[in-house]
Amino acid sequence: MNEIYECLIIGAGIAGLQAAIQLGRYKRNVLVIDSGEGRSSLCRSYRNILGWPDGISGEELRALGKTQAEKTGVHFLSGRVVGLKKGENAFEAETASGAVYYAKRILLSTGLSDRMPELPGLKACLGLSVYVCPDCDGYEVRDKKTIVLGAGAAGANMALTLSYWTDSIVYVNHEQQSIPEDLILKLTHKGIMTVDKKADEVLTENESVFKGIRFADGTLLEGERGFLAFGGNTVHTGLAAMLGAERLENKHVLTNPRTKETSVKYVWAAGDAGVHSEQVTIAMGEGCQAAVWIHKSLMDGE
C-alpha cells in the first residue's frame, strides 16, 4: 500500500482550506485534493468577512489559504475524486486519473454549485454587482434599483426577502415558471413588478458593473444591482453517499453539530456540503471545527 495520510481533505474551498491550515498547525500529514472549481472561485468580492472591509475575491482568498496551508506542510493535488470507500486499514480515494490515495480520516468539503443561466456579462459581475446570497450581500442593494433574475417561487421569495433593503425591485421570471398565488399577492402588496420574459444578456459598465438586462426580444430593463435565485442548486455530496453517510432529501450531509463528523465514523463534512446557512464565514468556522475534532480522534488512536 502507498503512503497513508492522516487526513484527506476533498475540496479546497473555504472550509477545506481553513481545515487544512488548522491540521497543518497540528503537524498532521494532510493531503488536499481539489478540482479547481467551486462556488468561492466565482465570487469576485466577499465583503462580510472580518478584516476585509473593502472585500476580497474568492480566488484571492483561496490562493492565500493554499499558501498558508502549504507553509505548515500540507500537500495539495489538483484532481477530482470520483470514488471513495472504506478499506481494511484506511479510506481509499480514487481520482479521475485512476490514482488511489489512502487516509485514516476524511473531510468532505465538496460544497455546492449555484444554478444560474449562461448569460454574457453575468460571471464578471458576481460578488461585485450581482449576488446570490441575501444574508451575505443584501446590504449591497440597499436603496438601489435591483433586478432579481430567477425562476418561479425561488425568485419570488428572493425578491420579497430583498424588499427589506430596497423598495425598488423588479422580478424577472427568466424561466417563466409558475408562481404560487400567495406569492403573487405578496409581490403585489410590496409593489414588486414581475416580468415573465427570458433574459438574453446582462448589461454592464466597465465589465463588472451591473446596468440591467437585455431580453431575448431586444427590449431593455435598467437596474443598479442584480440578484440570482433559480433554486435547484447542485450539492456535491455523492462521495458522502458512497460511504453511506446520512443525507437530507436536498442532499446536504447531516453532521454532529459539535464535531462536524458525519454518521460514518472518521468521516467529517464542513462548508456548503453540510446543513447550515451558506456563508463563507460559517464555512471557515466549520472547517476549523472539523479539524479540531479530526486531530482529537487521531490523538485518541495514537
Side-chain angles (χ1 to χ4, degrees):
M1 181 182 291
N2 295 332
E3 177 181 9
I4 300 179
Y5 290 92
E6 290 181 294
C7 184
L8 169 62
I9 298 174
I10 303 176
I14 306 305
L17 287 169
Q18 188 68 66
I21 291 167
Q22 185 67 26
L23 286 169
R25 291 172 63 83
Y26 283 134
K27 301 189 296 183
R28 293 299 179 182
N29 185 18
V30 177
L31 174 65
V32 181
I33 301 180
D34 183 57
S35 66
E37 301 171 0
R39 192 186 209 192
S40 58
S41 64
L42 295 176
C43 183
R44 300 286 300 278
S45 182
Y46 290 109
R47 293 186 176 90
N48 64 331
I49 303 175
L50 177 67
W52 299 96
D54 297 322
I56 180 172
S57 72
E59 186 178 28
E60 183 180 0
L61 191 59
R62 286 168 67 121
L64 288 170
K66 182 173 183 288
T67 298
Q68 189 172 348
E70 286 176 329
K71 287 181 178 178
T72 66
V74 172
H75 306 279
F76 283 81
L77 174 71
S78 178
R80 185 182 301 277
V81 176
V82 296
L84 190 58
K85 64 181 180 179
K86 180 70 169 71
E88 185 175 347
N89 299 311
F91 292 97
E92 301 175 13
E94 182 180 357
T95 64
S97 68
V100 178
Y101 298 88
Y102 303 88
K104 297 177 181 178
R105 306 289 187 269
I106 298 291
L107 172 60
L108 299 170
S109 50
T110 44
L112 62 78
S113 298
D114 294 282
R115 188 168 77 87
M116 62 181 71
E118 289 288 335
L119 295 177
L122 177 58
K123 288 187 176 180
C125 295
L126 292 176
L128 293 173
S129 55
V130 175
Y131 314 97
V132 298
C133 172
D135 297 309
C136 303
D137 293 310
Y139 180 81
E140 304 300 332
V141 308
R142 62 197 186 282
D143 303 322
K144 302 288 187 182
K145 182 176 180 181
T146 302
I147 298 174
V148 175
L149 184 66
N157 280 314
M158 179 65 79
L160 291 167
T161 297
L162 293 176
S163 67
Y164 176 83
W165 284 279
T166 178
D167 59 5
S168 181
I169 300 173
V170 177
Y171 170 35
V172 175
N173 188 10
H174 174 75
E175 294 183 347
Q176 300 173 42
Q177 293 183 7
S178 63
I179 304 172
E181 185 63 31
D182 64 318
L183 290 181
I184 293 175
L185 292 174
K186 289 178 181 179
L187 291 169
T188 301
H189 177 72
K190 288 286 187 178
I192 299 172
M193 181 174 69
T194 299
V195 179
D196 289 308
K197 294 171 69 173
K198 185 178 180 63
D200 195 53
E201 178 185 4
V202 169
L203 304 176
T204 64
E205 183 177 271
N206 298 326
E207 293 188 354
S208 61
V209 179
F210 178 83
K211 301 300 289 185
I213 288 172
R214 185 190 309 276
F215 293 104
D217 63 7
T219 59
L220 306 180
L221 177 63
E222 295 183 346
E224 297 174 279
R225 297 289 187 272
F227 245 93
L228 304 178
F230 284 84
N233 294 340
T234 301
V235 186
H236 301 294
T237 55
L239 296 175
M242 289 181 187
L243 293 174
E246 186 176 0
R247 299 187 297 170
L248 297 178
E249 289 185 8
N250 62 9
K251 308 303 182 184
H252 285 279
V253 182
L254 285 171
T255 60
N256 182 312
R258 186 183 183 204
T259 66
K260 310 314 298 180
E261 190 171 15
T262 70
S263 61
V264 178
K265 190 174 179 63
Y266 299 147
V267 177
W268 280 258
D272 291 345
V275 183
H276 64 60
S277 172
E278 294 160 8
Q279 288 237 16
V280 63
T281 50
I282 292 176
M284 285 180 179
E286 289 192 352
C288 186
Q289 185 180 2
V292 168
W293 287 94
I294 290 169
H295 170 67
K296 288 180 183 293
S297 78
L298 289 166
M299 288 281 287
D300 289 342
E302 291 173 348

